[in-house]
Amino acid sequence: MAELDWTRTLQVIQGIVITFANGLLLLTILSKSSLRTRKEMLIIAGLAGADFLYGLSSFLASTYRLVITALNLQNEPMTAWDCARLPPVFLLYLTSVM
């Protein structure tokens, strides 16, 4: 049985919490018309949307790393295209800039 990597597991949990909390905030702002009319709520909705995408990509990348480590495949050689294709690298780079 593979040993559990607690650092990666905590990163997965962190991604889930960020995604869930910002998703709820974004849905609340988008569903209430009184909140959509306030300018500061639109800024908060934009920030919540960016954080939602960041949490989602963090969750996906951490889950990928956890599975790779559990299967003991972290030392397999990969090309640059494999690195860009497999984990959500583009989404991580995009949301870290946001």
Side-chain angles (χ1 to χ4, degrees):
M1 183 172 170
E3 189 172 325
L4 190 60
D5 184 6
W6 287 105
T7 305
R8 299 283 184 229
T9 305
L10 290 176
Q11 288 175 346
V12 170
I13 293 169
Q14 178 185 4
I16 291 171
V17 170
I18 291 171
T19 303
F20 183 72
N22 286 294
L24 286 178
L25 179 61
L26 187 61
L27 283 176
T28 301
I29 293 172
L30 293 177
S31 66
K32 301 285 184 181
S33 62
S34 63
L35 293 177
R36 285 193 311 259
T37 58
R38 299 175 64 183
K39 291 180 184 178
E40 64 271 8
M41 285 299 155
L42 292 177
I43 294 170
I44 292 173
L47 291 172
D51 286 342
F52 174 80
L53 289 175
Y54 179 74
L56 182 64
S57 62
S58 175
F59 163 69
L60 292 174
S62 299
T63 303
Y64 174 75
R65 290 180 193 130
L66 187 66
V67 169
I68 290 298
T69 305
L71 296 175
N72 201 20
L73 297 173
Q74 68 268 21
N75 295 325
E76 293 290 319
M78 297 181 84
T79 65
W81 287 108
D82 290 336
C83 290
R85 179 181 53 89
L86 292 175
V89 173
F90 175 74
L91 194 55
L92 275 173
Y93 286 144
L94 181 69
T95 56
S96 66
V97 172
M98 284 195 236

